[in-house]
Amino acid sequence: MKDIATILTAESLSKEDIVTLLKVNGHDEQLIFQKAAEIKEKNVQNKVYFRGLIEFSNLCRKNCLYCGIRKENKYLLRYTLNDEEIIEAAKFAYENHYGSVVLQSGELTGRSFVNRVSRLLQKINRMSGGRLRITLSCGEQSYETYRKWFENGAVRYLLRIETSNPVLYARIHPDDNIHRYNTRLKCLESLKKAGYQVGTGVMIGLPDQTFEDMADDLLFIRQIDADMVGMGPYIEHKHTPLYSYRNRLYNRNERLKISLKMIALLRILMKDINIAATTALQAIDPFGREKAIMAGANVIMPNITPAKYREYYLLYEDKPCTDEESINCLQCLQIRISTTGNQIAFDDWGDSVHYVRRCKETAGLKLH
Ligand code: SAH
Ligand code: SF4
């Protein structure tokens, strides 16, 4: 077998190489993190961008088998923030110099939801004079809806593929027309066509997910040429069907370790994209996000949802910061990030360098 240092000097990593790298520990693992840190510094600098996360509704029409806010979870109080609460949260982000906000919700469709999101986009843009970048994460929608939201001022969209293995995807979703792998793929294509900076990602450590699946996940992300990625450990939730598979999981610390290696390998594979240090990492390890930043991530999504709603947006158990006011989260994060040798890029949109390059290349092609 090739040694790890040799694999890491290669021009590109094969699936086999990635599988080998995902399995290493100790000194070899440190070599991967070092390489990812070097690549990060060279291509996107040692900066961390903040995206204030507003979880504006936990209503969802879907029943993903892993998710705590799935429609059939009857133990959950459902909420939707009103416009004033959303604008107030966005104002907090703006006044505290975050470059961007993310509006996330369960998946809802229908004209009134689509129009409401458009209206919110306009209001946030008006409030900030267009100086806040807005990301949406509201699930699967038609091309026309994506386009409408783009025209109303959203510039980025997060839609995780969850797993690139269609068989595993089918196993973690109900078998019906609103939970199809191919629809998810089509949505990712529509988002790109509509002009967004496109973000995707996966859950790591799902029941029966193999290292080969995870290597394929990274190659999938590269193949669709994502601009941004958010991926983190799968964490079980009591009130979901997937909970009954909890004995077939890697233990939580192993899931964290694999997730950090996935982040580092993704940075090696895609040097100039934005990679989030996701909150699920912190649910396992209080310093999970800081470790991710040192392994190649460059985005953090501080939760700025009004504190009283946070306990109802429990996608998974042990979600951190559910009782914190946004201002405390900010102070806590500033201290935490200073320990990683990175700087918080306040007042900076932090657009994906990859996206900017992608646009320039497309423009170049059109000129010829
Ligand atoms: N409804 C939208 C956005 C909200 S869910 C959507 O599904 O795209 C956001 C993400 O939470 C999902 O993409 C999923 O990857 C993650 N998630 C849900 N349940 C989870 C769990 N049990 N463990 C880890 N991540 C989970
Ligand atoms: Fe709804 Fe998203 Fe959870 Fe699926 S993952 S149940 S679409 S909130």
Side-chain angles (χ1 to χ4, degrees), residues 113-310:
F113 180 72
V114 172
N115 289 340
R116 175 159 197 237
V117 172
S118 297
R119 193 177 67 231
L120 286 167
L121 291 165
Q122 290 166 11
K123 283 189 177 177
I124 295 175
N125 272 325
R126 216 172 303 133
M127 177 276 296
S128 70
R131 284 188 288 273
L132 262 185
R133 279 280 198 250
I134 311 174
T135 306
L136 290 176
S137 178
C138 305
E140 295 168 21
Q141 307 288 341
S142 67
Y143 170 76
E144 289 69 31
T145 297
Y146 286 148
R147 185 67 208 169
K148 181 170 176 165
W149 288 343
F150 185 79
E151 281 162 4
N152 278 286
V155 290
R156 308 181 183 132
Y157 203 101
L158 298 172
L159 185 77
R160 291 183 176 183
I161 189 70
E162 314 297 1
T163 167
S164 64
N165 177 341
V167 177
L168 183 56
Y169 189 95
R171 237 184 276 150
I172 61 170
H173 293 94
D175 181 13
D176 62 30
N177 269 336
I178 60 167
H179 294 87
R180 295 271 181 250
Y181 179 81
N182 281 339
T183 311
R184 202 102 183 145
L185 271 187
K186 260 215 186 92
C187 285
L188 285 167
E189 280 168 26
S190 299
L191 286 165
K192 209 165 238 178
K193 196 166 136 216
Y196 287 91
Q197 295 179 46
V198 177
T200 191
V202 293
M203 283 178 288
I204 298 161
L206 288 161
D208 298 334
Q209 189 182 33
T210 63
F211 285 113
E212 283 72 18
D213 290 329
M214 295 180 214
D216 281 335
D217 287 344
L218 295 179
L219 294 170
F220 169 88
I221 291 168
R222 187 173 65 177
Q223 186 221 322
I224 66 158
D225 204 21
D227 302 302
M228 342 182 276
V229 171
M231 57 183 181
Y234 159 68
I235 301 178
E236 55 278 34
H237 186 298
K238 235 194 343 268
H239 298 134
T240 62
L242 220 57
Y243 192 66
S244 54
Y245 291 80
R246 65 192 176 283
N247 297 330
R248 286 162 53 178
L249 300 172
Y250 290 106
N251 74 39
R252 286 195 181 187
N253 275 329
E254 279 163 338
R255 271 177 266 163
L256 173 79
K257 269 172 73 106
I258 302 169
S259 299
L260 293 173
K261 270 184 279 185
M262 287 283 280
I263 288 173
L265 292 172
L266 182 64
R267 175 59 71 203
I268 295 170
L269 285 173
M270 299 190 76
K271 301 181 173 23
D272 56 2
I273 62 170
N274 281 343
I275 305 178
T278 53
T279 312
L281 296 161
Q282 197 193 350
I284 297 184
D285 177 340
F287 298 102
R289 289 184 303 181
E290 291 78 347
K291 289 179 181 169
I293 286 169
M294 294 189 346
N298 65 334
V299 166
I300 282 198
M301 293 158 65
N303 198 332
I304 56 168
T305 311
K308 65 177 175 193
Y309 297 107
R310 291 196 196 171

Side-chain angles (χ1 to χ4, degrees), residues 6 43 83 107 153 173 180 268 335 343 353 364:
T6 313
N43 292 275
D83 284 15
E107 186 175 298
H173 293 94
R180 295 271 181 250
I268 295 170
I335 300 169
Q343 274 199 335
V353 173

Side-chain angles (χ1 to χ4, degrees), residues 75-103:
Y75 296 94
L76 193 65
L77 207 108
R78 300 287 166 172
Y79 74 87
T80 300
L81 301 193
N82 64 36
D83 284 15
E84 289 67 40
E85 288 169 315
I86 296 171
I87 305 305
E88 202 47 44
K91 206 163 162 216
F92 171 86
Y94 179 58
E95 287 174 350
N96 284 283
H97 311 280
Y98 294 13
S100 320
V101 288
V102 181
L103 294 187

